[in-house]
């Protein structure tokens, strides 16, 4: 069972104190340097004294810097804490809207065969996409429209769980141009990883060039980090070729997403 004691999402949702701390930090970041404690107190339903106590603790923790009476700025440490918790909340919101709320609405699938309105259909994933067919599946629903094979079909009254195994993200670190760029990449290892990936993202021009030299075209360049994470959630084995200076931030995102991942450093010796 997962240990929830250090889970940012569990802490911020279950702890009134941490939730209030998060909201106050966001308010400070939005309105810095001026801060009206009375307005924050009314917004959060607590006393001005409680707001003052929270701010004092945030200053003591190094998350907020006081510039004098009524003047505060959020520190780098405070920004990092807000971002970590915001990412956890964002991931949870995606889970609710994508995996829970959609179960009571209309699902869109690709017809794997000819389907008639009112047919009972089974739902399954293939290469990251949702399909509907007449075969037995762990999740079933009712077709809302006629569809020929390969067309989009709406499915309602979905019951059961769609069999979906999340993909692994293979993180391939390469150097920025200042440290040698694509010329210093060990391509034998990179080719092996990319060959097994169903979806490839590239972060940085050096990474885009390196993927090309390895014989592959990146499926995503703009917003590649988000695209790779989303593809992995849909069951695709993914690889992201990423420059070293972006590596740490992406690793933090992967860890909060709870996706499985492997890391590689493809710098030739």
């Amino acid at each position: 069972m997962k240990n929830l004691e250090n889970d940012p999402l569990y802490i911020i949702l279950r702890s009134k104190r941490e939730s209030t701390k998060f909201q106050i930090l966001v308010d400070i970041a939005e309105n810095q340097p001026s801060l009206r404690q009375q307005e924050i107190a009314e917004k959060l339903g607590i006393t001005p004294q409680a707001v003052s106590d929270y701010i004092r603790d945030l200053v003591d923790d190094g998350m907020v810097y006081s510039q004098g009476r009524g003047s505060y700025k959020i520190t780098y440490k405070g920004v990092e804490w807000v971002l970590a918790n915001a990412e956890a909340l964002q991931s949870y919101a995606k889970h609710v809207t994508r995996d829970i709320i959609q179960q009571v609405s209309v699902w869109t699938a690709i017809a794997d065969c000819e389907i008639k309105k009112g047919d009972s259909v089974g739902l399954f994933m293939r290469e990251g996409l949702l399909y509907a067919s007449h075969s037995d599946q762990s999740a079933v629903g009712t077709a809302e429209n006629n569809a020929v094979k390969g067309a989009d079909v709406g499915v309602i009254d979905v019951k059961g769980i769609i069999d979906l195994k999340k993909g692994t993200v293979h993180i391939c670190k390469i150097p920025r141009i200042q440290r040698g760029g694509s010329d210093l990449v060990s391509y034998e290892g990179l080719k092996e990883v990319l060959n097994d990936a169903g979806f490839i993202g590239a972060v940085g021009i050096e990474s885009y060039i390196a993927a090309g030299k390895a014989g592959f075209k990146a499926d995503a360049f703009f917003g590649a980090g988000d695209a790779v994470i989303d593809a992995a959630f849909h069951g695709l084995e993914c690889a992201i070729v990423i420059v070293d200076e972006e590596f740490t931030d992406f690793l933090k995102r992967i860890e909060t997403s709870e996706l499985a991942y492997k890391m590689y450093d493809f710098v030739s010796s």
Side-chain angles (χ1 to χ4, degrees), residues 112-113 120-125 131-141 159 161-163:
D112 196 45
C113 57
S120 177
V121 294
L123 297 172
F124 64 95
M125 299 294 294
Y131 282 81
S133 74
H134 291 307
S135 61
D136 293 333
Q137 301 292 336
S138 57
V140 297
K159 298 178 177 63
I161 299 175
I162 297 174
D163 187 14

Side-chain angles (χ1 to χ4, degrees), residues 22-66:
F22 177 82
Q23 293 176 83
I24 290 176
L25 273 173
V26 170
D27 204 289
I28 291 174
E30 184 178 12
N31 298 288
Q32 62 184 356
S34 62
L35 187 70
R36 298 185 178 182
Q37 297 186 16
Q38 180 65 43
E39 291 182 3
I40 294 179
E42 293 175 356
K43 185 189 303 182
L44 301 182
I46 58 179
T47 65
Q49 182 58 50
V51 174
S52 179
D53 292 341
Y54 271 106
I55 293 175
R56 184 176 62 250
D57 290 342
L58 289 170
V59 171
D60 291 342
D61 291 340
M63 293 189 183
V64 170
Y65 171 71
S66 174

Side-chain angles (χ1 to χ4, degrees), residues 122-159:
L123 297 172
F124 64 95
M125 299 294 294
R126 181 195 296 157
E127 297 179 347
L129 300 174
L130 183 64
Y131 282 81
S133 74
H134 291 307
S135 61
D136 293 333
Q137 301 292 336
S138 57
V140 297
T142 302
E144 196 181 40
N145 59 283
N146 297 328
V148 297
K149 183 176 181 178
D152 50 334
V153 58
V155 183
I156 59 174
D157 299 329
V158 176
K159 298 178 177 63

Side-chain angles (χ1 to χ4, degrees), residues 169-245:
V169 178
H170 299 266
I171 310 173
C172 308
K173 182 170 68 171
I174 68 167
R176 269 289 195 193
I177 190 66
Q178 297 93 324
R179 290 174 287 281
S182 64
D183 286 342
L184 286 189
V185 173
S186 175
Y187 284 100
E188 183 177 348
L190 181 60
K191 288 179 182 178
E192 185 177 344
V193 173
L194 297 187
N195 190 58
D196 294 331
F199 189 92
I200 299 171
V203 177
I205 292 293
E206 300 90 338
S207 299
Y208 184 84
I209 297 298
K213 286 183 177 180
F216 298 87
K217 180 175 176 58
D219 297 294
F221 180 70
F222 301 106
D226 289 334
V228 165
I229 290 174
D230 202 33
F233 268 118
H234 284 78
L236 291 177
E237 286 293 300
C238 297
I240 184 165
V241 188
I242 186 167
V243 289
D244 47 20
E245 67 183 32

Side-chain angles (χ1 to χ4, degrees), residues 7-26:
D7 186 332
L9 176 63
Y10 177 83
I11 292 172
I12 201 165
L13 289 180
R14 295 297 299 269
S15 169
K16 171 67 174 176
R17 178 169 183 79
E18 293 300 295
S19 175
T20 303
K21 173 180 169 182
F22 177 82
Q23 293 176 83
I24 290 176
L25 273 173
V26 170

Side-chain angles (χ1 to χ4, degrees), residues 71 166 185:
S71 181
K166 296 176 183 177
V185 173

